[in-house]
Amino acid sequence: MKTTDEQYARPLTWIPERERIWLLAAAAVSLFIMIWGLWSMIHLSASVLHSKKFEFTFKNYGSNARLALFVVLANYVLMLVLQKRMVDRWSSLKKWMIRLWRLARSLHTPIAIIAIGFIVLHVVAVFMYGFKYNFNNISGLLALLVLLPVPVSGLFRYKKLDRKWHLRLGLVFAVLFLIHSFV
């Protein structure tokens, strides 16, 4: 027979319970977006795949990912501004910054999961359109390669086992993503 502590002990999970619902909802939304996008791209004719219309399609996926990633990166920017005490002089502004940072922190992971769905669609569409070896495509491919371990290190972040790899790889991805987006 088990002791009372073992009977009522909860199994250890990687994701805290209060965030699990939001992460599962974001994963479901991301999966729906990816299935819908892939289904619509597969059913296009070959002539449409190499037209300007399809180029706008994959650029729209990239633009949606860019907007989502700005919300994800806002977490780090607002945290840095608050840690460096850049807004201490203006108390009303500081209160708004703290509220905005809390919102960005709570949306960081769910929006990042949705952004990854848009990034996957963007990459698949670029390869369907025709990958060319130019600076823009190579910088995007490098950003994708750096992005791959970021979600995994984010899972380790919940258990404080990542040794700041999530932050470091996230910042490297942010630089490569900004180069890919604006150059």
Side-chain angles (χ1 to χ4, degrees):
M1 187 164 177
K2 294 182 179 180
T3 64
T4 56
D5 289 338
E6 291 174 351
Q7 282 177 335
Y8 298 109
R10 290 186 179 191
L12 295 174
T13 58
W14 282 86
I15 301 170
E17 218 173 297
R18 66 180 187 273
E19 293 184 31
R20 197 173 305 143
I21 274 292
W22 290 107
L23 296 184
L24 291 174
V29 167
S30 182
L31 188 65
F32 176 76
I33 289 170
M34 285 191 300
I35 290 171
W36 182 269
L38 290 172
W39 184 83
S40 64
M41 285 190 287
I42 288 171
H43 287 86
L44 291 174
S45 66
S47 63
V48 175
L49 286 178
H50 300 290
S51 68
K52 283 285 188 187
K53 181 181 177 185
F54 188 70
E55 185 178 354
F56 288 124
T57 300
F58 75 76
K59 286 186 177 185
N60 282 339
Y61 289 138
S63 294
N64 290 337
R66 181 181 358 185
L67 292 173
L69 287 171
F70 282 143
V71 173
V72 171
L73 294 174
N75 179 37
Y76 296 113
V77 172
L78 292 170
M79 181 177 60
L80 181 70
V81 167
L82 290 170
Q83 281 180 347
K84 297 292 181 186
R85 300 178 187 264
M86 294 179 187
V87 291
D88 278 351
R89 294 183 195 154
W90 307 288
S91 62
S92 62
L93 181 62
K94 184 177 179 180
K95 289 177 186 177
W96 281 101
M97 290 285 284
I98 290 171
R99 287 181 185 166
L100 194 59
W101 175 61
R102 286 180 182 158
L103 178 66
R105 187 178 61 188
S106 66
L107 292 175
H108 175 81
T109 308
I111 298 294
I113 292 171
I114 293 171
I116 288 172
F118 282 122
I119 290 169
V120 167
L121 285 176
H122 178 68
V123 169
V124 168
V126 166
F127 279 106
M128 287 176 76
Y129 181 74
F131 184 82
K132 297 178 182 92
Y133 290 99
N134 58 22
F135 180 77
N136 198 21
N137 288 346
I138 297 297
S139 66
L141 200 56
L142 287 173
L144 177 69
L145 290 175
V146 171
L147 176 66
L148 293 176
V150 172
V152 175
S153 62
L155 280 174
F156 286 120
R157 183 77 195 114
Y158 280 116
K159 291 289 187 180
K160 297 186 181 1
L161 298 173
D162 72 328
R163 298 184 185 185
K164 294 195 178 185
W165 282 107
H166 184 68
L167 177 65
R168 291 173 185 156
L169 289 170
L171 290 176
V172 171
F173 168 74
V175 169
L176 290 171
F177 153 72
L178 290 172
I179 290 170
H180 173 68
S181 294
F182 295 112
V183 175

